[in-house]
Amino acid sequence: MKNEVKDLVDQGLMLPLMERFYTIQGEGYHQGTAAYFIRVGGCDVGCHWCDVKESWDALLHPPTTIEALTEGAAEKSKIIVITGGEPLMYNMDPLTDMLRANGMRTHIETSGAHPLSGNWDWICLSPKKRKLPTEEIYQVANELKVIVFNMDDFRFAEEQAAKVNADCLLLLQPEWSKREKMMPLIVDYVMENPKWKVSLQTHKYLNIP
Ligand code: SF4
């Protein structure tokens, strides 16, 4: 990457763009809501069950100015969801400031494993055991979404729930390849522990991005 491009990426004025698309938010509190997604390349968390491993190597995704990244988005939706990869590997301040100045609502899906940047209307924190969130994000997360791959993830979910703010929604979501095995266990767990809700990847059932 040329030095001047690297500088702009370091400042958050350019970001590696993997894909962007207008669809229905399939998960969490805003499930069912139309939203424009921007997927930023680069992630160093390394979940073995990750369904977007193509996102991991940031160098495979072209550095793109934040203006070009968001071009046409406002015509589709007022809600912009920044996802990855791990968006917090980058400085999200310029992108979110620009979006908000244009009247957009900014949502993020993050593992929280990197320092928090950006101004967000909704933070979905999905913590991962391999690289835990920074302490600061627990106080501002709007929803905590724990992916349940095996039984130990219920313990992990409680450990993480103990750290978030009192208003944070608590969601348990089966890892897609384990959904048939884990879903009945999640249902039982939520009925016994109703502070949690079930989250489904409804976009996968609907066969949309
Ligand atoms: S944090 Fe997300 S993008 Fe990164 S490896 Fe885990 S599931 Fe994949």
Side-chain angles (χ1 to χ4, degrees), residues 16-155:
L17 172 61
M18 181 174 165
E19 58 178 345
R20 51 191 199 145
F21 48 91
Y22 179 48
T23 188
I24 303 291
Q25 169 60 279
E27 307 176 5
Y29 178 78
H30 293 283
Q31 177 191 310
T33 305
Y36 195 88
F37 281 69
I38 297 174
R39 189 183 301 285
V40 175
C43 183
D44 60 358
V45 178
C47 308
H48 64 91
W49 44 259
C50 178
D51 60 359
V52 277
K53 288 191 170 121
E54 325 82 79
S55 71
W56 290 7
D57 184 353
L59 296 176
L60 297 179
H61 307 291
T64 307
T65 64
I66 56 174
E67 290 80 9
L69 204 71
T70 54
E71 194 184 351
E75 292 151 28
K76 300 285 190 191
S77 180
K78 288 278 177 221
I79 299 176
I80 308 293
V81 182
I82 309 299
T83 187
E86 175 42 70
L88 291 183
M89 288 177 72
Y90 309 96
N91 178 4
M92 287 285 138
D93 292 341
L95 173 64
T96 52
D97 288 349
M98 187 185 74
L99 289 170
R100 281 182 150 195
N102 287 306
M104 318 281 265
R105 291 183 61 79
T106 55
H107 294 197
I108 185 171
E109 312 247 343
T110 178
S111 68
H114 286 265
L116 181 62
S117 60
N119 293 297
W120 302 103
D121 294 298
W122 191 265
I123 297 176
C124 172
L125 173 62
S126 187
K128 306 296 182 323
K129 289 178 196 161
R130 285 181 59 91
K131 198 165 162 65
L132 292 171
T134 59
E135 287 300 318
E136 61 189 339
I137 201 164
Y138 291 112
Q139 288 318 308
V140 290
N142 298 99
E143 64 184 8
L144 175 72
K145 184 175 72 189
V146 179
I147 310 303
V148 180
F149 180 83
N150 58 29
M151 291 303 291
D152 186 60
D153 291 320
F154 290 106
R155 176 202 60 77

Side-chain angles (χ1 to χ4, degrees), residues 26-27 31 173-180 183 198-209:
E27 307 176 5
Q31 177 191 310
Q173 178 173 296
E175 192 277 324
W176 183 248
S177 71
K178 296 280 182 190
R179 65 192 183 283
E180 287 183 13
M183 201 61 215
V198 178
S199 175
L200 293 175
Q201 290 181 293
T202 51
H203 53 297
K204 292 194 178 180
Y205 291 99
L206 294 171
N207 206 18
I208 55 176

